[in-house]
């Protein structure tokens, strides 16, 4: 063995020792806001042999994925595919394609996702306006209409499942409002899709995306996305090219067989093993049935929320109907350091729950029970861990 | 089971049947220009349980990956990490961060990669100049200096391993030339790194990236990248933010522990299982030793090239020293339809070789023997398959 990195003998030895030991990954209860646990059958699907990113078998798998996403999103959109990246890639894919420099965009900010959508939009030189509520809040249709009417955006961004605050945003009527003002409706459902009713077509959502690592229980790395005919029309009639070649919908549409062309041109090397896992995770959803999955998540969430309240803990989101069934936010227990609680539960119970994110930092604890993790047995485990933590962590005399 | 997608009963049945059958992925000899075959230990590494993208164990794995990339790239750059995407993401990461709108960029076009780099650069509003040779050619340092002097670019793009044409571009002295003209040197080594000598620091390369699915034999989906101090200085002093939040180096640097800050802030959900595979693939490289890997690829390539010539086939790249040892381009055999040859070999030998790409379409056959695929036994297999194809495919009477 010859090392060619010029460094001291000692550093070199450390380097070789690092790689001479196989790394160990612990099994952990992944009950934070994601990634969630991945069942063995999905992990194993991803360990199938690598074949070419343009082989017929992969095109068949991609076609299955497309059908599965159409089912999960409740859409008949032809322009339905998975981005070769995580949720943030899908968010950029939506904004990069739907918006041109100088155009006006409206984002609803009631947590971190609206902030990030606004930042992405600014970076490509569009004009951003926001409507803002404190974490835990949401918007009425009247507030949204007022902003649409005032700012006349080409795109309105809203997070359906605001995982940083635990808010499930009502969607009824908003798509129709957007279209009244000739605006596209972009919805982030990374933390909600599959775990709560969501009808893309019926709600007149123009662009919808989610992640692989939440309700779908696949590893992070792919992000389902779908575009309405109205969105496609705007995108196909752009005056400028999207800033990213990698995320350019016209190229992705060809790779995913959505553009009606007979032959597919090499765009990028699709992450084929991640496609295997994603397809398997959609198969799991189809087997259970979407309606059953929605009902299970709701039932488990209500059981969880009742358990929390009976312990004397408070839910961060007050209106029951605005509580995300996949990610629950608990008011950070008074007198405790939330970091000590999450660290104690990780150390003692091998279980991840997390603190807030962005605007909700310090305000909440977050527990995600998504996909296969959404069960009453897991709720019992989390409640026991929380009780144990509140007993053993330091409490100030307040 | 309740289907909610409104479609005919027959389409619905087809949908359920699709997902009721496990998909089958054949084992195939992946001897095209990538992805290459992935050894079982690397596939299995990727099937480890998912943990959090900010857990200490992942930070340790990411730190190992950083060390492994430094070794593979022969660099001491602190700003060394893996992009959560394929090679094209790394290409965009380099260009998006290093270039601001209106700046001048020079790209060397001797195949598809220079074309794509030029396209990416144009999309972000930079001015692009190119130097161009026909496929199979490369540039002298004098030609490069002339262009640097004329166009005064802030960045010069060059593909080290031009996988569409089979050219291994000489790199000696080019970094120094770039720096003479106050220009950053960006090198694409997706198809070459690990299979042929490449000393990032010694060659004064400012930004270098590769892919996971070539010599490293990991699944596609991550892309090692490294930035010199000089590149970091330009990037940290930008006047504008890079167009992509997802690929913004200041965020990536923090996630990868390269910015010297004690705490890491949530940026995106890293593809943890792809990180497991990437780490394992770097461990394989460390075990063999980089020098040994370089020598093996060279020896196998020479054995392959001799075998091709003894069959009467012609190598597309004439100068021996400019032949990429990882991807060999063969002049498309006269009188044959190249598509029939590749299809015959796939069907009869379960073996992928490919035709040209971009400017080399129709001109060449391409055979990639990368990482674990680079062996004399595999060369013998490819030669036998080629002989068989030339015997059985249609030949016009010319």
């Amino acid at each position: 063995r010859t090392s060619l990195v010029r460094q001291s003998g000692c550093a070199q030895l450390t380097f070789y020792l690092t790689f001479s030991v196989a790394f160990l990954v612990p099994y952990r209860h992944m009950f934070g806001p994601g990634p969630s646990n991945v069942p063995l059958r999905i992990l194993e699907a991803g360990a199938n042999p690598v074949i070419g990113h343009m082989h017929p078998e992969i095109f068949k798998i991609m076609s299955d994925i497309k059908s599965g996403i159409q089912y999960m999103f409740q859409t008949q959109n032809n322009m339905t595919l998975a981005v070769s990246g995580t949720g943030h890639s899908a968010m950029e894919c939506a904004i990069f394609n739907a918006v041109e420099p100088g155009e006006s965009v409206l984002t609803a900010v009631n947590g971190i996702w609206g902030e990030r959508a606004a930042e992405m939009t600014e970076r490509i030189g569009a004009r951003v306006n926001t409507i803002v509520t404190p974490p835990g809040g949401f918007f009425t249709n009247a507030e949204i209409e007022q902003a649409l009417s005032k700012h006349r955006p080409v795109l309105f961004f809203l997070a359906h499942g605001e995982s940083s605050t635990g808010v499930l945003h009502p969607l009824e009527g908003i798509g129709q409002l957007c279209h009244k003002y000739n605006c596209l409706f972009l919805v982030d459902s990374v933390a909600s899709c599959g775990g709560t009713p969501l009808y893309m077509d019926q709600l007149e959502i123009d662009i919808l995306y989610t992640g692989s690592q939440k309700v779908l229980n696949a590893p992070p790395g792919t992000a389902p996305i779908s575009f309405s005919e109205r969105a496609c029309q705007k995108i196909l009639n752009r005056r400028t090219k999207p800033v990213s070649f990698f995320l350019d919908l016209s190229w992705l549409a060809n790779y995913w067989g959505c553009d009606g062309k007979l032959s597919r041109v090499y765009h990028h090397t699709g992450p084929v093993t991640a496609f295997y896992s994603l397809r398997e995770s959609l198969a799991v959803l189809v087997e259970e049935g979407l309606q059953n999955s929605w009902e299970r998540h709701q039932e488990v969430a209500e059981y969880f929320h009742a358990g929390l309240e009976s312990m004397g803990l408070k839910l961060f989101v007050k209106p029951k109907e605005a509580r995300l069934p996949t990610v629950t936010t608990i008011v950070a227990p008074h007198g405790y350091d939330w970091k000590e609680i999450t660290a104690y539960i990780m150390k003692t119970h091998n279980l991840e729950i997390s603190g807030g994110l962005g605007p909700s930092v310090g305000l909440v604890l977050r527990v995600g029970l998504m996909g296969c993790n959404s069960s009453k047995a897991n709720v019992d485990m989390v409640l026991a861990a929380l009780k144990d933590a509140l007993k053993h962590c330091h409490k100030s005399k307040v």
Side-chain angles (χ1 to χ4, degrees), chain A residues 161-174:
Chain A
E162 225 311 335
S163 60
S164 70
T165 64
V167 168
L168 176 74
H169 206 291
L171 295 176
E172 207 65 49
I174 301 177

Side-chain angles (χ1 to χ4, degrees), chain A residues 252-269:
Chain A
L252 291 173
N254 178 263
Y255 183 36
W256 282 84
C258 303
D259 66 352
K261 290 189 184 145
L262 278 178
S263 72
R264 306 197 197 187
V265 179
Y266 169 62
H267 173 232
H268 72 286
T269 304

